[in-house]
Amino acid sequence: MNCWEAQMATYFVTRHEGAIDWALRKGIEAQLVTHLDPSKIEKGDVVLGTLPVQIIAQINERGARYLHLEMSLPADQRGIALTADDMERLGAQLIEYEARRISEN
């Protein structure tokens, strides 16, 4: 990379300690943010997390990639803090998605 090329950034959007620990175990290198301002995202950036579809669409519109943190979460485990071990057991993985708004209604 020469000095004229833009440096792409990777962001992991989470407030959950278990998710942070899980990412560290997986060797994911990203800037940890608890809130993402989509207007700061640049072409070529990568965003990881569990964001709402309208934010994913804004990320994609800006030329960035979005990888969603997915796992099979049983109803009795929703709303509780998960550990990295819990996430491993539930099959946590990052899956790339693209979204776009179809109408302005």
Side-chain angles (χ1 to χ4, degrees):
M1 174 180 227
N2 67 43
C3 63
W4 301 109
E5 294 180 66
Q7 184 73 29
M8 293 178 288
T10 300
Y11 301 95
F12 184 28
V13 186
T14 188
R15 297 182 313 265
H16 302 284
E17 289 298 321
I20 295 166
D21 292 343
W22 176 84
L24 290 171
R25 284 185 187 181
K26 297 294 184 185
I28 296 169
E29 295 182 19
Q31 295 177 44
L32 177 65
V33 295
T34 57
H35 175 77
L36 182 76
D37 179 351
S39 70
K40 305 286 189 213
I41 299 301
E42 298 182 6
K43 184 176 182 176
D45 287 350
V46 178
V47 178
L48 319 171
T50 55
L51 299 176
V53 68
Q54 71 272 19
I55 303 297
I56 299 166
Q58 291 174 12
I59 289 166
N60 291 152
E61 284 173 8
R62 298 183 67 79
R65 297 173 57 206
Y66 174 74
L67 285 79
H68 193 75
L69 178 56
E70 286 188 12
M71 65 191 97
S72 297
L73 191 61
D76 67 341
Q77 298 222 322
R78 293 186 182 136
I80 63 169
L82 300 174
T83 66
D85 288 337
D86 293 333
M87 293 177 65
E88 288 286 342
R89 182 177 47 77
L90 295 167
Q93 58 185 329
L94 291 166
I95 306 293
E96 186 166 5
Y97 282 88
E98 291 183 0
R100 67 183 175 89
R101 177 177 277 189
I102 302 299
S103 66
E104 295 297 319
N105 296 344

